Amino acid sequence: KAGVTQTPRYLIKTRGQQVTLSCSPISGHRSVSWYQQTPGQGLQFLFEYFSETQRNKGNFPGRFSGRQFSNSRSEMNVSTLELGDSALYLCASSWQGTDGYTFGSGTRLTVV
Amino acid sequence: QQQVKQSPQSLIVQKGGISIINCAYENTAFDYFPWYQQFPGKGPALLIAIRPDVSEKKEGRFTISFNKSAKQFSLHIMDSQPGDSATYFCAASMQRGATNKLIFGTGTLLAVQP
């Protein structure tokens, strides 16, 4: 079956702009989580959505937001981009969030 | 208290040897401990996971050992192969309440030499 699909794979944005990243979970999976991966901070939890509701949120500023649609696809948005937002953004899906997560290959965001 | 401490940061093992990566946690509310493997340019892939009601779990060449009293768990890779060269992350989460926020360790870069 198809894995977790993230688009785009690479993105270059200018400081101050906003960006939207997309994630299509494995068919049937209702839980979608987002993580930020950087060399300095490692893998950090951003938020989790289940059945279109945000169920958990990490310690990131309000510039980071997300949503989930009725078909479980999810988007995350980062507004007013800063240089420090440059990272690999990973989406992971799970059937209901209490079993193992499957990660996508991520979106590499570079802010210049 | 939310941290998961992972060691070593990097590891070099000869082909056929045993790779051992260790993790420690503080929060006794954690009830799910997965290990992920990540290759360059890819997302982390779930290798094996354990819950605190068992002390060991084995899947093929990969074994998790879990010490609840010491709040430590480790990954053992038997008969390590060059294809195992990757970054390994331990993680922990509290699945009660059906929220699966994973707290990751800092990662171990494993190099298996032929």
Side-chain angles (χ1 to χ4, degrees), chain B residues 93-105:
Chain B
S93 71
M94 291 175 276
Q95 293 198 332
R96 293 186 210 101
T99 59
N100 198 17
K101 169 184 175 180
L102 288 167
I103 307 297
F104 282 91

Side-chain angles (χ1 to χ4, degrees), chain A residues 35 40-44, chain B residues 1-9 21-36 50 64 66 70-75 88-94 101-108:
Chain A
Y35 289 81
Q41 299 298 316
L43 282 150
Q44 292 189 291
Chain B
Q1 203 183 22
Q2 287 289 318
Q3 280 187 320
V4 176
K5 295 182 180 179
Q6 183 172 347
S7 64
Q9 189 174 355
I21 304 170
N22 300 300
C23 285
Y25 64 97
E26 288 295 323
N27 191 341
T28 55
F30 287 143
D31 58 5
Y32 177 71
F33 302 88
W35 283 90
Y36 282 85
I50 199 167
I64 298 179
F66 187 83
K71 292 184 283 188
Q72 296 175 346
F73 57 110
S74 60
L75 176 69
Y88 292 80
F89 294 93
C90 61
S93 71
M94 291 175 276
K101 169 184 175 180
L102 288 167
I103 307 297
F104 282 91
T106 49
T108 296

Side-chain angles (χ1 to χ4, degrees), chain A residues 79-92:
Chain A
S79 62
T80 319
L81 284 165
E82 301 177 359
L83 296 178
D85 297 333
S86 294
L88 179 67
Y89 289 89
L90 292 158
C91 168

